[in-house]
């Protein structure tokens, strides 16, 4: 990307300033708006239409999760990266279910935030390693047993879904119709007891079918 417009959402002005300086050191990265609560984030998003939102979860009033949900309801194409102190699987799960595309903890290295912003801007999933581990352990007590329920083609479809590929891309890669891929997708969820694609990602991570790095590399095939 030659240019990238970013909305920063955090209730601490000093913290936002630090993020701004870090991100704007990257060629083409530009912070076009800032917000300190969920309502302001929604208004700022509608006004600025940024490429990526960097969203904290701990906001005064409505939480960052609510802000993510509200923005995604208005624009299903919104790309939101949660950047927060909360490492727990429950927080990450709620953020992904609300529509976030990435989740990075503030204990991560600064370069991790920069990397994740770039990945989310390209429509790829991004998670810091600590979050990926928390999700895998928390959500699936017997991930290997769940994977054993799948046939070879279902396992491959799961790997590609967890890597961030679209139905159309998977269909082209496996020489299948989009409808067939959708049927596999539904069957996989049914067999492993998953309700969301986020849970499929956790399963793939827990079983080693994909790693956080592999997911990003595989997602690059869509670009």
């Amino acid at each position: 990307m030659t240019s990238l417009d970013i909305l920063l959402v955090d209730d601490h002005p000093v913290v936002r300033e630090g993020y701004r300086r870090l991100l704007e050191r990257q060629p083409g990265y530009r912070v076009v708006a800032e917000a300190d609560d969920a309502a302001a984030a929604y208004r700022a998003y509608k006004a600025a239409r940024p490429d990526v939102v960097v969203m904290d979860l701990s906001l005064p009033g409505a939480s960052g999760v609510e802000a993510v949900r509200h923005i995604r309801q208005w624009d299903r194409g919104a790309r939101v990266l949660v950047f927060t102190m909360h490492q727990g699987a429950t927080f990450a799960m709620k953020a992904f279910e609300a529509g976030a595309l990435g989740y990075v903890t503030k204990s991560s290295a600064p370069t991790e935030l920069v990397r994740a912003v770039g990945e989310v801007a390209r429509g790829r999933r991004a998670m810091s390693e600590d979050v990926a581990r928390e999700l895998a352990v928390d959500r699936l007590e017997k991930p290997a047993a769940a994977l054993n329920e799948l046939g070879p083609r279902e396992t491959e479809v799961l790997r590609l879904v967890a890597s961030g590929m679209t139905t159309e891309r998977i269909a082209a890669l496996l020489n299948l119709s989009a409808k067939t891929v959708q049927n596999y997708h539904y069957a996989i969820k049914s067999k492993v007891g998953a309700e969301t694609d986020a849970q499929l990602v956790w399963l793939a991570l827990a079983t080693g079918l994909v790693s956080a790095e592999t997911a990003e590399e595989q997602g690059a095939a869509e670009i």
Side-chain angles (χ1 to χ4, degrees):
M1 286 188 172
T2 57
S3 64
L4 187 67
D5 291 349
I6 301 167
L7 165 62
L8 292 180
V9 185
D10 192 290
D11 62 334
H12 295 95
V14 174
V15 173
R16 293 199 307 273
E17 179 63 23
Y19 296 164
R20 174 190 286 272
R21 292 184 180 184
L22 172 65
L23 293 169
E24 290 189 338
R25 285 204 296 265
Q26 312 309 308
Y29 282 31
R30 181 175 62 138
V31 175
V32 296
E34 299 183 17
D36 58 5
D37 62 29
Y42 180 67
R43 292 193 299 269
Y45 184 87
K46 292 182 69 176
R49 297 301 298 270
D51 299 301
V52 175
V53 181
V54 178
M55 176 78 68
D56 192 11
L57 292 186
S58 299
L59 300 174
S63 71
V65 170
E66 287 302 313
V68 173
R69 183 178 292 111
H70 203 183
I71 289 171
R72 288 275 297 174
Q73 285 174 341
W74 187 76
D75 178 8
R76 299 305 299 174
R79 294 175 175 180
V80 183
L81 170 67
V82 169
F83 188 54
T84 179
M85 63 179 289
H86 297 294
Q87 183 178 332
T90 299
F91 289 101
M93 177 183 69
K94 295 301 182 185
F96 283 124
E97 290 176 350
L101 193 55
Y103 194 106
V104 173
T105 60
K106 289 182 177 179
S107 60
S108 304
T111 53
E112 187 76 2
L113 172 61
V114 174
R115 179 196 63 80
V117 167
E119 295 301 320
V120 168
R122 292 170 173 82
R124 308 174 193 168
R125 293 188 180 92
M127 281 184 282
S128 50
E129 289 290 344
D130 53 350
V131 171
R133 287 193 299 270
E134 288 286 332
L135 288 173
V137 170
D138 183 77
R139 296 298 298 176
L140 293 160
E141 296 179 357
K142 298 179 180 179
L147 198 61
N148 288 339
E149 296 294 319
L150 305 180
R153 179 50 63 88
E154 290 170 330
T155 302
E156 180 63 5
V157 171
L158 169 60
R159 183 181 72 82
L160 297 175
V161 168
S163 297
M165 287 193 180
T166 64
T167 296
E168 291 73 20
R169 174 61 179 154
I170 295 171
L173 188 65
L174 299 182
N175 196 26
L176 300 170
S177 70
K179 180 63 175 177
T180 298
V181 172
Q182 290 171 349
N183 289 341
Y184 275 125
H185 197 160
Y186 177 82
I188 291 166
K189 283 184 175 179
S190 179
K191 287 184 177 182
V192 304
E195 296 180 358
T196 66
D197 282 356
Q199 291 176 346
L200 293 183
V201 174
W202 302 330
L203 171 60
L205 287 166
T207 57
L209 197 59
V210 298
S211 65
E213 291 182 356
T214 299
E216 292 153 12
E217 291 168 0
Q218 289 292 336
E222 295 181 64
I223 306 304

